């Protein structure tokens, strides 16, 4: 419904009588919700602080000079251009007034009849201030580009550094966290150094260049069967990544990493892939939250106190089989569809349905011809898993142009051992 | 020759007895000089503050969301990978000690036997502090990406702006300077708005969106025949660019442009393409300079006081036929070849040759199917000029991958009226 306190003219008259669904966040969940509401008799207002949707699973390839950031992002307006009942606003959401049913932003507040909250997640530094200040997260374009610039700058500086010890610290890269992001990052970084950069720096001594992957637990990829964890570790070792289990980071000061065991690793680069937590908006709502700041929702994804409000994706905490669902894109997209469906049902007086997660499987790539996959109870590795990973990611990437450019870049990298985007752009 | 005060080990023994040529700057001139010295018995040290060579003529397409910055830049190490007598160092040059023959940097000083100075040019704001602070130059990647972000943000903000006057200021884009850069920028900006963004913003009133091109003189493209100036102005008008002659900017405060005539144009965006001057290094040498801070060189491009030092490109002032040569890529590249040749001649005891400029002609594109060309005394416009422009720029762009990606982007834009890179990345 168009509110009188909105200073803008109503968009089209016949739409103003429709209920307004505001969607916060244009990530996997928000975008899927917006699309699912295409034929529902509502006016959709999608808001995001960025004007693009970002395909986060490939961010690590931006950080390792394989892809340009523009290839894994697409403007929201371009994605949803044909959707007549949708309006996009690039604003930052500062809070939600659940009583007055308004989304508070750095611009005017936006009144809603229904609300889908899908703000996603942010890096979780677990209170390690040094890591947060000097280390690199991997959640947005700025993170990835900063990391790429930093890694390449370390190589340039190492060429100018006469002191052997300092040179080794410049060329030591610590990746923390043995989940899919950490595994993929470590593998890609090692291949960048040993297959590509070695050609750029003929004076580089490869013995000086190290990539370490530190995992606090006793195996990598804890969400997969142990057989795959072992395969991933073995493949990483083959790719010259030093995998360490039961290694917990205590501090990082920009020039060395200190472990809980007391060990100190001189390294100028620390990539933090050890955890995420719900975006701050989730906690700002003042609602009961579960672990990692995620808002507790009922099986229909509604707030118990406000059935017109749905929370989906990383910011939602829904327990199934005793454990909260993982913070992953497939969960967010499926939740978004259920939330949109439940809004449509509410409008036509039908009862809401409960969310049911259909696990599409898990994939992690380690490098050339190497990946691990666990799909419908079947575990496989090597080239088949790698091929599945490529196809799945190409299909999911939004936009034909992005698919084409990514495919060309991958082919280039594969056949010529070349990553073209190794530019330092400050 | 390897100096004892250089803390690094000599690279390869048989090279250390060769004279060292240091080249400052990896632009069109520096890169060409490095290549020309490939088979000359010297050790070449190429330095630049960036790790990439930038194809500046297409920067305006990055600023107007047509190309990704990575597509018009290529890492120097990748370009010169096969050149055995070359070493690249990413350092900032802070000065040159002509007496001691050392290039001073933010790292160690670099001793030379011969020196080629090709630091290029920077935007010349002619002391207009407001323009420098709030306006946008167009000389490097950061300029272009900032401008792209700013233009797209203006459109996003205009959608949220209830005040009609402020909305119009957000959508008014002032381009200052009627040279090739200004003409190309104004044309590309107008097409971006009228062919692409209009599809993204269905509520946009095109009457609110204006592009102005302000030229202080009485015609555009002063370096070309008057017939082409008129053709360019007429084409720009057809593309909805308001061309103003004899319009001199006095000030810009970020929300309105004040002209010398007293007229005030409310506009949130000012692109300054009204002039360049030699990079600050040129003046820091303390040598006699001509207009725009360019170092006066003799016909052999050597310094009169220091024949081992050559200055080439935008930073060199060489008068031919009573006027200094223009600050353009072809001049820089040809000068670099002469400088390299003169170093080789000096080494084998032959006399230095004087520089002779062979004008390859001038081109400026205005938009789809529209350009002006002046080649070997022949002036032509329209589709033929545009086709020549495309081919020339594709050929000159360095690297097959960059050529391919630019070509795909151009084809995309041409056939689908789409510029894919309209992302706001802060």
């Amino acid at each position: 419904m168009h509110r009188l306190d909105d200073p803008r003219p109503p968009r089209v008259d016949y739409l103003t009588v429709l209920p307004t669904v505001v969607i916060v966040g244009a990530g996997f969940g928000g975008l899927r919700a917006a699309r699912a509401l295409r034929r529902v008799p509502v006016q959709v207002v999608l808001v995001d602080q960025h004007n693009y949707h970002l395909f986060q699973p490939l961010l690590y390839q931006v950080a390792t000079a394989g892809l340009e950031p523009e290839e894994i992002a697409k403007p929201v307006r371009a994605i949803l251009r044909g959707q007549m009942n949708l309006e996009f606003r690039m604003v930052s959401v500062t809070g939600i007034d659940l009583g007055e049913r308004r989304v508070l932003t750095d611009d005017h507040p936006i009144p809603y009849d229904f609300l889908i909250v899908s703000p996603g997640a942010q890096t979780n530094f677990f209170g390690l201030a040094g890591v947060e200040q000097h280390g690199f997260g991997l959640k947005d374009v700025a993170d990835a580009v900063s990391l790429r610039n930093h890694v390449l700058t370390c190589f340039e500086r190492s060429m100018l550094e006469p002191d052997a010890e300092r040179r080794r610290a410049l060329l030591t890269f610590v990746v923390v966290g043995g989940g899919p992001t950490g595994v993929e990052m470590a593998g890609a970084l090692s291949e960048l150094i040993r297959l590509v950069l070695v050609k750029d720096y003929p004076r580089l001594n490869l013995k000086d260049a190290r990539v370490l992957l530190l995992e606090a637990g006793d195996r990598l990829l804890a969400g997969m069967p142990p057989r795959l964890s072992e395969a991933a570790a073995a493949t990483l070792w083959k790719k010259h990544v030093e995998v360490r289990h039961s290694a917990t980071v205590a501090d990082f000061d920009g020039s060395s990493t200190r472990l809980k065991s007391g060990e100190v690793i001189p390294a100028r680069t620390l990539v933090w892939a050890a955890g995420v937590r719900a975006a701050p908006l989730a906690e700002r709502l003042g609602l009961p939250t579960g672990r990692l700041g995620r808002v507790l929702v009922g099986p229909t994804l509604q707030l118990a106190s406000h059935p017109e409000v749905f929370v989906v994706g990383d910011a939602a905490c829904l327990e199934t089989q005793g454990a909260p669902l993982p913070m992953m894109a497939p969960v967010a997209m499926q939740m978004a569809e259920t939330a949109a469906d439940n809004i449509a049902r509410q409008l036509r007086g039908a009862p809401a349905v409960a969310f049911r997660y259909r696990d599409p499987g898990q994939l992690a790539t380690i490098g050339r011809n190497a990946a691990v996959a666990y799909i419908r109870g079947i575990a496989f590795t090597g080239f088949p898993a790698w091929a599945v990973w490529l196809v799945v990611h190409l299909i999911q990437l939004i936009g034909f142009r992005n698919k084409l450019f990514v495919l060309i870049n991958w082919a280039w990298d594969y056949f010529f051992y070349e990553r073209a985007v190794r530019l330092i752009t400050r």
Side-chain angles (χ1 to χ4, degrees), chain A:
Chain A
M1 270 152 267
H2 188 73
R3 301 295 175 102
L4 290 173
D5 57 352
D6 185 345
R8 271 150 313 205
R11 191 182 175 181
V12 186
D13 274 314
Y14 65 87
L15 280 178
T16 56
V17 299
L18 295 177
T20 297
V21 181
V22 174
I23 302 172
V24 175
F28 287 107
L31 217 53
R32 187 59 70 99
R35 278 181 167 168
L37 290 168
R38 196 173 45 227
R39 293 179 211 290
V40 177
V42 290
Q43 168 66 6
V44 179
V45 180
L46 175 63
V47 305
D48 197 287
Q49 58 177 319
H50 296 297
N51 79 331
Y52 55 83
H53 167 75
L54 176 67
F55 191 73
Q56 287 185 346
L58 290 178
L59 259 187
Y60 81 95
Q61 296 204 359
V62 172
T64 51
L67 296 176
E68 295 156 36
E70 287 83 355
E71 288 163 1
I72 61 163
K74 188 165 171 147
V76 175
R77 291 184 187 277
I79 298 172
L80 300 169
R81 195 180 266 172
Q83 188 164 340
M84 294 309 292
N85 70 339
L86 181 129
E87 184 192 335
F88 172 71
R89 297 193 197 172
M90 192 181 83
V91 291
S92 282
V93 172
T94 53
I96 293 167
D97 185 338
L98 292 168
E100 294 281 321
R101 297 192 182 180
R102 300 188 312 166
V103 174
L104 309 176
T105 75
D106 53 358
D107 190 69
H108 301 286
I110 308 169
Y112 63 79
D113 299 298
F114 294 97
L115 176 65
I116 299 178
V117 183
S118 54
Q122 60 180 347
T123 305
N124 188 356
F125 292 98
F126 296 102
L128 297 172
V131 173
E132 185 162 3
Q133 195 185 336
H134 304 288
F136 291 87
L138 205 53
K139 282 304 281 181
D140 60 29
V141 169
D143 282 346
V145 174
S146 307
L147 181 50
R148 178 189 83 193
N149 287 341
H150 176 79
V151 169
L152 296 172
T153 302
C154 283
F155 272 84
E156 287 298 335
R157 292 229 180 107
S158 77
M159 290 296 110
L160 304 167
E161 179 57 63
D163 181 84
E165 212 154 300
R166 272 195 237 139
R167 194 164 58 235
R168 273 195 294 271
L170 279 164
L171 298 176
T172 302
F173 303 90
V174 174
V175 180
V176 187
T181 306
V183 166
E184 295 187 330
M185 183 70 209
L189 200 49
S190 188
E191 287 194 343
L192 171 69
I193 296 168
R194 300 192 157 250
L195 303 180
V196 183
L197 294 183
V198 70
K199 293 187 284 185
D200 277 352
Y201 301 91
R203 285 162 67 193
L204 175 72
N205 185 347
L206 272 181
K207 277 184 208 148
D208 286 349
R210 295 168 70 197
V211 177
L212 291 92
L213 177 61
L214 309 183
E215 162 59 36
D218 59 355
R219 64 183 182 103
L220 304 178
L221 303 172
M224 294 194 182
R227 181 163 99 64
L228 292 182
S229 305
E230 280 158 36
T235 311
L236 284 168
W237 274 107
K238 244 183 269 166
K239 293 189 183 284
H240 303 275
V241 174
E242 302 172 34
V243 181
R244 301 257 200 111
H245 297 108
S246 314
T248 308
V249 169
D251 198 13
F252 177 64
D253 63 3
S255 60
S256 64
T257 306
R258 193 164 53 76
L259 304 188
K260 252 193 185 150
S261 64
E263 184 184 346
V264 171
I265 304 167
R268 295 288 286 271
T269 309
L270 182 142
V271 184
W272 188 256
V276 291
R277 53 178 291 119
L281 180 66
E283 284 199 327
R284 233 180 279 146
L285 297 180
L287 295 165
T289 55
R291 260 191 80 228
L292 305 173
R294 301 166 84 188
V295 178
L296 293 167
V297 291
T300 59
L301 308 178
Q302 288 161 292
L303 295 184
S305 52
H306 293 275
E308 73 280 9
V309 178
F310 295 78
V311 185
V312 305
D314 292 351
C317 185
L318 178 67
E319 297 214 348
T320 58
Q321 298 161 352
L325 285 167
M327 294 164 90
M328 281 165 37
V331 176
M333 292 191 283
Q334 293 180 29
M335 279 182 160
E337 276 172 9
T338 299
D341 186 30
N342 279 342
I343 289 174
R345 284 169 164 272
Q346 213 164 318
L347 287 174
R348 60 174 192 261
V353 293
F355 176 67
R356 249 195 72 221
Y357 181 52
R358 296 167 304 281
D359 186 354
Q362 288 177 59
L363 289 162
T365 184
I366 302 161
R368 304 174 76 78
N369 307 328
V372 293
Y374 184 59
I375 298 173
R376 294 185 191 185
I378 303 166
F380 54 110
T381 62
F383 185 82
W386 182 73
V388 168
W389 183 91
L390 282 188
V391 171
V392 165
H393 281 74
L394 265 189
I395 290 174
Q396 294 194 338
L397 197 60
I398 288 178
F400 179 73
R401 179 189 168 280
N402 283 357
K403 288 186 213 290
L404 176 68
F405 277 54
V406 167
L407 186 62
I408 295 174
N409 270 325
W410 283 353
W412 213 271
D413 187 3
Y414 192 75
F415 293 113
F416 303 123
Y417 294 81
E418 193 70 273
R419 299 214 190 136
V421 201
R422 44 189 202 285
L423 306 176
I424 302 171
T425 54
R426 270 157 311 210

